[in-house]
Amino acid sequence: MSLFKFFRLIFTILAIVGIAFLFPVITALVCKEYSVLPAFLIPMGVNIVLGAFAFFREKKYAFKFSTRDVFIFVALSWIAICISGSVPLFLSGAIKNPVDAIFEGVSGFTTTGSTILSEVESLPRSINLWRCEMHWLGGMGIIALTVALLPLLGVGGFNLIKAESTGPDKGKITPKMANTAEVLWFLYLALTIIHAIALKICGMDFIDSISYAFSTLGTGGFATRNASIASYNSLSIEIICTVFMFLSGINFSLYFYLLTRKFDEVKKNSELKGYVLIFCGSAILIAIFLIPYYGSFWSALRYSFFQVGAIMTTSGYATADYLLWPSAAQFLLFLLFFTGGSAGSTSGGFKVIRWIILAKQAKNEMLRMLHPQGIFSVRINGKAGRKDLIYNVAAFTFVYFALVIVTTFFSAISGLDILTSFTASLSMVGNVGPAFGALGPTANYGFLHPALKLWYCFAMIAGRLEIYNLIIFFLPAYWED
């Protein structure tokens, strides 16, 4: 592939990021934060100029990605996006260390929500809006947005979106991948607007309502206040955020099926059933253990549902310090670090569908021991699953937890205790945000060694791109002709 054509697409994606700077620029003007404007206008101008040059030059020539090209393009695009997003944070002086700024940018676009900041309320409102907007752009996928807006780039959008999207089985909901991307982004935008309006009605100001809508729908966790959602002390706001965290953890394709009246596709969806069962079951069980702590079942249910939503969907919010909860409640929350939301959602994590496939395959293996001549298959959504899907999940399970173990080891080397090291690694690879121990819901990542922060950046991007898209470069076979 022509090197220029390759970078032409990366610069085009960065131009879209540059256009996205328009929201914080407008916010800075409205809030009279004039000193912050150069921090956005400079990278905005650079991104748009480079993107326009790259897009309009040779735009009539289409090309296709090879298998190798897809991996390196998606990886380099996400690294470039994250660095570009960190530039305003550094230039504005909000974050003075470049490594910290990159960590915040990576955490933003990967929707992890881990922050190095201990004080966010003193930041310019435009900076806080941008931190939340990064979640929103990264949640559905910036490459998917590019394919939706610019199908005329002449690139095989299906392979690109497959590499960026989550879940073991990735397909189209419309005949053309560009149309699929458009539908998903439209649904995403519609839910964001509805969420922002609901928050505004419940008492948030206009900028905060948009910021938290960005953060919630992207299942990120960045906040505009030090105490996050808890600072509002509003039951209605917590209920609304819990509902939209829950909705964001569902495969967005199911919303399309609802709109097109394909109700059978929704009713028979195996992952949706598992997701609802785990979400609601965990919240009710945790609430039972919290009754002595909060004094009533309803108060306990308020906090348990919110925190289950925050951890399971990897949104990362907090309305309570769960490290002070009873051990049984903490243990159930700990288990949710292993689950994640649904494939095709904006949630991170291992994904519910993979656990369903593994559980059904385990059951089949036991049945095969009882009936050696029997034929058993994993049924997903009412249909017999493919063998290659089971192999895919088994292999992904190995590389996912291998990366968690390696990250835990590096964390321990840096001086973190084993509980903090392990849960922080689960949080980084699963894009959850908070952890246990020294990196609990009221802590931040600012005190970590710069080298560990950079490794965490790698882990966050690898987790967002479902591991393979980054570790494949360590295989000698990738570089062989």
mmCIF file of all heavy atoms in Angstrom, residues 224-249:
data_model
loop_
_atom_site.group_PDB
_atom_site.id
_atom_site.type_symbol
_atom_site.label_atom_id
_atom_site.label_comp_id
_atom_site.label_asym_id
_atom_site.label_seq_id
_atom_site.Cartn_x
_atom_site.Cartn_y
_atom_site.Cartn_z
ATOM 1 N N THR A 224 -17.312 16.082 36.097
ATOM 2 C CA THR A 224 -16.996 17.507 36.194
ATOM 3 C C THR A 224 -16.916 17.958 37.639
ATOM 4 O O THR A 224 -16.606 19.112 37.906
ATOM 5 C CB THR A 224 -18.053 18.347 35.463
ATOM 6 O OG1 THR A 224 -19.326 18.168 36.119
ATOM 7 C CG2 THR A 224 -18.176 17.935 34.013
ATOM 8 N N ARG A 225 -17.203 17.044 38.568
ATOM 9 C CA ARG A 225 -17.121 17.359 39.994
ATOM 10 C C ARG A 225 -16.279 16.302 40.701
ATOM 11 O O ARG A 225 -16.245 15.140 40.288
ATOM 12 C CB ARG A 225 -18.520 17.414 40.621
ATOM 13 C CG ARG A 225 -19.400 18.521 40.039
ATOM 14 C CD ARG A 225 -20.626 18.734 40.907
ATOM 15 N NE ARG A 225 -21.487 19.798 40.384
ATOM 16 C CZ ARG A 225 -22.540 20.281 41.039
ATOM 17 N NH1 ARG A 225 -22.861 19.792 42.238
ATOM 18 N NH2 ARG A 225 -23.275 21.240 40.518
ATOM 19 N N ASN A 226 -15.628 16.707 41.765
ATOM 20 C CA ASN A 226 -14.719 15.800 42.471
ATOM 21 C C ASN A 226 -15.436 14.565 42.989
ATOM 22 O O ASN A 226 -14.886 13.468 42.988
ATOM 23 C CB ASN A 226 -14.048 16.532 43.639
ATOM 24 C CG ASN A 226 -13.156 17.667 43.159
ATOM 25 O OD1 ASN A 226 -12.633 17.630 42.050
ATOM 26 N ND2 ASN A 226 -12.988 18.685 43.985
ATOM 27 N N ALA A 227 -16.655 14.735 43.470
ATOM 28 C CA ALA A 227 -17.426 13.615 44.026
ATOM 29 C C ALA A 227 -18.294 12.942 42.975
ATOM 30 O O ALA A 227 -19.175 12.139 43.317
ATOM 31 C CB ALA A 227 -18.284 14.084 45.190
ATOM 32 N N SER A 228 -18.081 13.280 41.705
ATOM 33 C CA SER A 228 -18.824 12.660 40.604
ATOM 34 C C SER A 228 -20.343 12.861 40.785
ATOM 35 O O SER A 228 -20.772 13.909 41.256
ATOM 36 C CB SER A 228 -18.463 11.171 40.511
ATOM 37 O OG SER A 228 -18.989 10.579 39.348
ATOM 38 N N ILE A 229 -21.119 11.868 40.450
ATOM 39 C CA ILE A 229 -22.578 11.970 40.534
ATOM 40 C C ILE A 229 -23.043 12.175 41.978
ATOM 41 O O ILE A 229 -24.073 12.802 42.237
ATOM 42 C CB ILE A 229 -23.239 10.690 39.954
ATOM 43 C CG1 ILE A 229 -22.875 10.531 38.474
ATOM 44 C CG2 ILE A 229 -24.744 10.728 40.112
ATOM 45 C CD1 ILE A 229 -23.431 11.592 37.564
ATOM 46 N N ALA A 230 -22.273 11.674 42.935
ATOM 47 C CA ALA A 230 -22.659 11.788 44.348
ATOM 48 C C ALA A 230 -22.771 13.236 44.793
ATOM 49 O O ALA A 230 -23.506 13.556 45.737
ATOM 50 C CB ALA A 230 -21.654 11.055 45.227
ATOM 51 N N SER A 231 -22.055 14.150 44.125
ATOM 52 C CA SER A 231 -22.063 15.559 44.541
ATOM 53 C C SER A 231 -23.435 16.196 44.384
ATOM 54 O O SER A 231 -23.738 17.186 45.047
ATOM 55 C CB SER A 231 -21.035 16.351 43.729
ATOM 56 O OG SER A 231 -21.400 16.374 42.362
ATOM 57 N N TYR A 232 -24.280 15.641 43.521
ATOM 58 C CA TYR A 232 -25.614 16.210 43.305
ATOM 59 C C TYR A 232 -26.603 15.748 44.376
ATOM 60 O O TYR A 232 -27.639 16.396 44.576
ATOM 61 C CB TYR A 232 -26.130 15.825 41.918
ATOM 62 C CG TYR A 232 -25.340 16.458 40.800
ATOM 63 C CD1 TYR A 232 -24.282 15.780 40.204
ATOM 64 C CD2 TYR A 232 -25.631 17.743 40.347
ATOM 65 C CE1 TYR A 232 -23.537 16.355 39.183
ATOM 66 C CE2 TYR A 232 -24.895 18.330 39.323
ATOM 67 C CZ TYR A 232 -23.848 17.632 38.751
ATOM 68 O OH TYR A 232 -23.112 18.210 37.752
ATOM 69 N N ASN A 233 -26.293 14.614 45.031
ATOM 70 C CA ASN A 233 -27.176 14.064 46.062
ATOM 71 C C ASN A 233 -28.633 14.057 45.597
ATOM 72 O O ASN A 233 -29.548 14.493 46.287
ATOM 73 C CB ASN A 233 -27.056 14.873 47.364
ATOM 74 C CG ASN A 233 -27.692 14.153 48.542
ATOM 75 O OD1 ASN A 233 -27.789 12.928 48.564
ATOM 76 N ND2 ASN A 233 -28.163 14.913 49.518
ATOM 77 N N SER A 234 -28.829 13.552 44.374
ATOM 78 C CA SER A 234 -30.153 13.568 43.752
ATOM 79 C C SER A 234 -30.545 12.148 43.346
ATOM 80 O O SER A 234 -29.869 11.519 42.514
ATOM 81 C CB SER A 234 -30.146 14.475 42.517
ATOM 82 O OG SER A 234 -31.321 14.305 41.752
ATOM 83 N N LEU A 235 -31.622 11.653 43.918
ATOM 84 C CA LEU A 235 -32.104 10.319 43.575
ATOM 85 C C LEU A 235 -32.505 10.245 42.112
ATOM 86 O O LEU A 235 -32.219 9.252 41.430
ATOM 87 C CB LEU A 235 -33.295 9.945 44.464
ATOM 88 C CG LEU A 235 -33.972 8.599 44.168
ATOM 89 C CD1 LEU A 235 -32.986 7.455 44.333
ATOM 90 C CD2 LEU A 235 -35.194 8.401 45.074
ATOM 91 N N SER A 236 -33.148 11.289 41.607
ATOM 92 C CA SER A 236 -33.606 11.268 40.209
ATOM 93 C C SER A 236 -32.431 11.214 39.240
ATOM 94 O O SER A 236 -32.471 10.477 38.239
ATOM 95 C CB SER A 236 -34.476 12.497 39.920
ATOM 96 O OG SER A 236 -33.752 13.692 40.152
ATOM 97 N N ILE A 237 -31.368 11.965 39.522
ATOM 98 C CA ILE A 237 -30.186 11.935 38.654
ATOM 99 C C ILE A 237 -29.531 10.563 38.686
ATOM 100 O O ILE A 237 -29.120 10.026 37.647
ATOM 101 C CB ILE A 237 -29.184 13.037 39.072
ATOM 102 C CG1 ILE A 237 -29.725 14.413 38.668
ATOM 103 C CG2 ILE A 237 -27.813 12.800 38.434
ATOM 104 C CD1 ILE A 237 -28.866 15.581 39.115
ATOM 105 N N GLU A 238 -29.459 9.970 39.875
ATOM 106 C CA GLU A 238 -28.855 8.644 39.993
ATOM 107 C C GLU A 238 -29.669 7.596 39.251
ATOM 108 O O GLU A 238 -29.101 6.713 38.588
ATOM 109 C CB GLU A 238 -28.718 8.268 41.473
ATOM 110 C CG GLU A 238 -27.681 9.099 42.213
ATOM 111 C CD GLU A 238 -27.676 8.832 43.708
ATOM 112 O OE1 GLU A 238 -28.071 7.716 44.114
ATOM 113 O OE2 GLU A 238 -27.294 9.737 44.471
ATOM 114 N N ILE A 239 -30.997 7.681 39.345
ATOM 115 C CA ILE A 239 -31.854 6.722 38.639
ATOM 116 C C ILE A 239 -31.667 6.857 37.136
ATOM 117 O O ILE A 239 -31.526 5.857 36.408
ATOM 118 C CB ILE A 239 -33.334 6.919 39.026
ATOM 119 C CG1 ILE A 239 -33.571 6.478 40.474
ATOM 120 C CG2 ILE A 239 -34.248 6.129 38.082
ATOM 121 C CD1 ILE A 239 -34.967 6.774 40.984
ATOM 122 N N ILE A 240 -31.650 8.096 36.650
ATOM 123 C CA ILE A 240 -31.493 8.334 35.211
ATOM 124 C C ILE A 240 -30.139 7.810 34.729
ATOM 125 O O ILE A 240 -30.050 7.135 33.691
ATOM 126 C CB ILE A 240 -31.650 9.833 34.892
ATOM 127 C CG1 ILE A 240 -33.115 10.239 35.043
ATOM 128 C CG2 ILE A 240 -31.160 10.141 33.483
ATOM 129 C CD1 ILE A 240 -33.333 11.725 35.014
ATOM 130 N N CYS A 241 -29.083 8.094 35.473
ATOM 131 C CA CYS A 241 -27.760 7.614 35.073
ATOM 132 C C CYS A 241 -27.679 6.091 35.123
ATOM 133 O O CYS A 241 -27.062 5.469 34.252
ATOM 134 C CB CYS A 241 -26.689 8.227 35.974
ATOM 135 S SG CYS A 241 -26.367 9.972 35.633
ATOM 136 N N THR A 242 -28.322 5.493 36.127
ATOM 137 C CA THR A 242 -28.341 4.021 36.209
ATOM 138 C C THR A 242 -29.046 3.425 34.997
ATOM 139 O O THR A 242 -28.566 2.449 34.397
ATOM 140 C CB THR A 242 -29.038 3.557 37.499
ATOM 141 O OG1 THR A 242 -28.370 4.107 38.634
ATOM 142 C CG2 THR A 242 -29.024 2.041 37.610
ATOM 143 N N VAL A 243 -30.173 3.997 34.633
ATOM 144 C CA VAL A 243 -30.934 3.507 33.481
ATOM 145 C C VAL A 243 -30.104 3.606 32.210
ATOM 146 O O VAL A 243 -30.032 2.652 31.413
ATOM 147 C CB VAL A 243 -32.264 4.290 33.327
ATOM 148 C CG1 VAL A 243 -32.906 3.982 31.967
ATOM 149 C CG2 VAL A 243 -33.217 3.952 34.453
ATOM 150 N N PHE A 244 -29.434 4.742 32.011
ATOM 151 C CA PHE A 244 -28.676 4.914 30.770
ATOM 152 C C PHE A 244 -27.364 4.143 30.783
ATOM 153 O O PHE A 244 -26.861 3.767 29.718
ATOM 154 C CB PHE A 244 -28.460 6.401 30.478
ATOM 155 C CG PHE A 244 -29.653 7.043 29.824
ATOM 156 C CD1 PHE A 244 -30.654 7.624 30.580
ATOM 157 C CD2 PHE A 244 -29.797 7.026 28.448
ATOM 158 C CE1 PHE A 244 -31.776 8.202 29.981
ATOM 159 C CE2 PHE A 244 -30.901 7.591 27.834
ATOM 160 C CZ PHE A 244 -31.897 8.174 28.606
ATOM 161 N N MET A 245 -26.800 3.893 31.957
ATOM 162 C CA MET A 245 -25.660 2.970 32.018
ATOM 163 C C MET A 245 -26.107 1.576 31.582
ATOM 164 O O MET A 245 -25.419 0.896 30.803
ATOM 165 C CB MET A 245 -25.077 2.927 33.430
ATOM 166 C CG MET A 245 -24.212 4.112 33.800
ATOM 167 S SD MET A 245 -23.296 3.890 35.353
ATOM 168 C CE MET A 245 -24.606 4.010 36.570
ATOM 169 N N PHE A 246 -27.266 1.160 32.093
ATOM 170 C CA PHE A 246 -27.820 -0.141 31.720
ATOM 171 C C PHE A 246 -28.062 -0.212 30.217
ATOM 172 O O PHE A 246 -27.688 -1.194 29.557
ATOM 173 C CB PHE A 246 -29.123 -0.371 32.477
ATOM 174 C CG PHE A 246 -29.861 -1.610 32.074
ATOM 175 C CD1 PHE A 246 -29.494 -2.852 32.584
ATOM 176 C CD2 PHE A 246 -30.928 -1.552 31.186
ATOM 177 C CE1 PHE A 246 -30.174 -4.013 32.209
ATOM 178 C CE2 PHE A 246 -31.608 -2.697 30.803
ATOM 179 C CZ PHE A 246 -31.228 -3.927 31.316
ATOM 180 N N LEU A 247 -28.663 0.821 29.656
ATOM 181 C CA LEU A 247 -28.956 0.846 28.215
ATOM 182 C C LEU A 247 -27.679 0.849 27.381
ATOM 183 O O LEU A 247 -27.621 0.240 26.315
ATOM 184 C CB LEU A 247 -29.807 2.064 27.867
ATOM 185 C CG LEU A 247 -31.223 2.106 28.463
ATOM 186 C CD1 LEU A 247 -31.907 3.414 28.110
ATOM 187 C CD2 LEU A 247 -32.056 0.921 27.976
ATOM 188 N N SER A 248 -26.645 1.530 27.873
ATOM 189 C CA SER A 248 -25.382 1.606 27.134
ATOM 190 C C SER A 248 -24.649 0.279 27.126
ATOM 191 O O SER A 248 -23.795 0.045 26.260
ATOM 192 C CB SER A 248 -24.481 2.683 27.745
ATOM 193 O OG SER A 248 -25.095 3.953 27.693
ATOM 194 N N GLY A 249 -24.965 -0.592 28.079
ATOM 195 C CA GLY A 249 -24.325 -1.899 28.140
ATOM 196 C C GLY A 249 -24.984 -2.952 27.274
ATOM 197 O O GLY A 249 -24.544 -4.104 27.245
#
